[in-house]
Amino acid sequence: YDPLLRMNERGVAGGLVQALRERHPLPLALLYSAQLVFHTTAFEVVRLTPLFLVVALASSTWWFLAGKRMTRFGMTVFALSILSVTTTVGMYSSILANWMALVVWMFFFAYVALRGEKGLRALDAVALLGMSTLLLFIHPWTWGVFAASAAVAAILTLFHEKRRGLRTAAVLFSILAINALLALLSLLEASQGWRVSETLGMYTEVAVKPSSILVFWGAVTRLTQIWAPFFSPLIIALSILGVFYLYAANPASWSRRLILAWLCASAIGSILVAPIGFDPASPTQSESQLWRLLFLTPFQLTAPFGVALITETPRRMQTGSGSVSGSEGPRRSILVVLLVVVFAVGALLAWVPVEGRLIL
């Protein structure tokens, strides 16, 4: 809101120039343009933008997972996206730049899932390059996690489809390489190059001090203590169940591949980013950047499959013969063990911060 006020003081052209001096120039330029187009105030734009982002993210998630044919499943996807941590943390923290980047990310993956099976053509590559570049300049830090996810998906494509998926993988790698070159060139620009430099510094902090990874558990428990109202235990449990149901639910191969790649990048990234900003000697006076990566973790993509698992299990039991088949028995055992692990970890996360306060 404050940067928009400063931009308003300088007029139309001057306001866009002022955006280059702010922390998030492209998101501010987009908000400022919306203000000018709709002839409204900076306050109204900032107040209503989260509503637009909620609907945009839910719609892109629906497109990615359900498409036009799976209407009932699509409604579940839409609802869980609205109720996800993205909405709660996004609205409370007003991290609109991260949120915008996440919406572009979801549209990028939805486009790849739609066109990946047929093979990406030149026009598809141009469209994807435009979205990836937009994401880069909206929020470089988010682009880094996105790039890692897309790279893992491309590697999985080469591993599973070999020569058949070579063209699609090559397009993804080429897009990421072009964006990386643009990011390096932006370092030459004094007013905004520091954003990419800051991002690179965050990515390499753990490499400089590998022992900092050991503070992960402390960062997680501190995060739970502060941000628990914004991370629904129910949706997290559904999301974990959904990961194990991805193959049984048999979504499109590209959708499944992109989800697993995203989960892999966010899981590893969570471990790497947890030490940033966190001081184990003074946990209550510091804040880990782990919450920013959890904001980018695709809970809303796997939670619908968790719901599908729960709703389909009674139906399978009713239609079954009453005896457990050789393959069904181990599956049920794995499900029981998984549920125990989920609730045990949840109990530990809820208990450890309290125990820490008692010790202090």
Side-chain angles (χ1 to χ4, degrees), residues 134-220:
L134 181 63
L135 197 160
L136 170 65
F137 288 105
I138 287 177
H139 203 269
W141 195 92
T142 299
W143 181 87
V145 187
F146 156 81
S149 303
V152 172
I155 293 172
L156 290 175
T157 301
L158 292 175
F159 181 78
H160 287 288
E161 299 186 10
K162 297 181 173 62
R163 294 183 63 180
R164 181 170 173 266
L166 182 61
R167 183 169 62 181
T168 301
V171 169
L172 292 178
F173 281 128
S174 299
I175 290 172
L176 297 180
I178 293 172
N179 283 158
L181 179 61
L182 291 175
L184 292 176
L185 290 176
S186 70
L187 293 174
L188 303 176
E189 204 276 314
S191 64
Q192 291 303 317
W194 64 270
R195 298 179 67 239
V196 175
S197 178
E198 179 186 55
T199 300
L200 292 174
M202 294 180 71
Y203 289 153
T204 57
E205 183 169 326
V206 174
V208 174
K209 189 179 179 182
S211 62
S212 62
I213 295 179
L214 300 177
V215 307
F216 177 73
W217 184 255
V220 169

Side-chain angles (χ1 to χ4, degrees), residues 64-79:
F64 179 41
L65 289 182
K68 297 180 180 179
R69 298 179 180 179
M70 304 169 63
T71 304
R72 181 181 299 179
F73 184 66
M75 292 300 294
T76 303
V77 171
F78 195 91

Side-chain angles (χ1 to χ4, degrees), residues 245 306-322 328 332 335:
Y245 193 56
V307 173
L309 174 62
I310 292 174
T311 55
E312 290 185 12
T313 298
R315 178 179 59 81
R316 290 185 176 183
M317 295 177 66
Q318 291 176 359
T319 57
S321 60
E328 193 69 20
R332 291 186 182 180
L335 181 59

Side-chain angles (χ1 to χ4, degrees), residues 27-52:
L28 285 170
L30 294 174
L31 294 177
Y32 189 55
S33 299
Q35 179 187 339
L36 296 175
V37 169
F38 294 104
H39 302 285
T40 184
T41 64
F43 177 78
E44 289 298 321
V45 169
V46 173
R47 186 169 71 93
L48 295 177
T49 296
L51 178 61
F52 167 79

